[in-house]
Amino acid sequence: MSAFKNGLEMAAWLGLVTKQQSTGGVPTLPEISKRGDTYLRTLLIHGGRTVGRVANKHDDRRNNWIKELDQRRGKNISAVAVANKNAGIARAVLTRKEPYKAAA
């Protein structure tokens, strides 16, 4: 985890965020890069799909965010967003060496 200075670097390494491209100083975000470890990225996205599928059974801040994201962007994009968030949480837990504490 010390190889990454923040969660965005880790997500980019996993291929969970869009490629960064710019032309004439105008940044464009075309598609997910799909770089890094394919198996780990697949596991994270499948986990994101599962969390999204059961989000309507729970009523907390994170699950409400997932439900709103599903309605706005669709199930596949929200699954990748949840995978990205889970990867960031995993990075934070591993770098801080503290147990995970869910937000109230």
Side-chain angles (χ1 to χ4, degrees):
M1 290 297 127
S2 61
F4 309 111
K5 68 179 180 183
N6 57 31
L8 183 61
E9 275 192 6
M10 183 175 142
W13 179 79
L14 288 170
L16 293 171
V17 294
T18 58
K19 286 193 265 187
Q20 302 287 320
Q21 293 180 346
S22 66
T23 176
V26 177
T28 60
L29 303 173
E31 71 270 343
I32 292 177
S33 64
K34 295 183 183 169
R35 295 177 183 165
D37 189 350
T38 305
Y39 184 67
L40 183 56
R41 183 179 56 255
T42 302
L43 287 177
L44 285 166
I45 292 174
H46 284 319
R49 278 196 186 102
T50 303
V51 170
R53 197 178 73 228
V54 298
N56 58 0
K57 296 179 183 178
H58 305 283
D59 192 30
D60 60 359
R61 190 169 72 185
R62 184 164 190 239
N63 286 306
N64 289 336
W65 171 76
I66 294 168
K67 288 185 271 189
E68 291 171 9
L69 189 61
D70 272 351
Q71 292 172 353
R72 276 195 328 264
R73 301 297 307 250
K75 298 238 179 259
N76 287 334
I77 292 175
S78 65
V80 175
V82 171
N84 188 9
K85 189 174 281 279
N86 287 344
I89 290 170
R91 179 192 171 275
V93 166
L94 291 171
T95 54
R96 293 182 188 155
K97 297 179 178 144
E98 295 177 3
Y100 173 69
K101 296 178 198 131

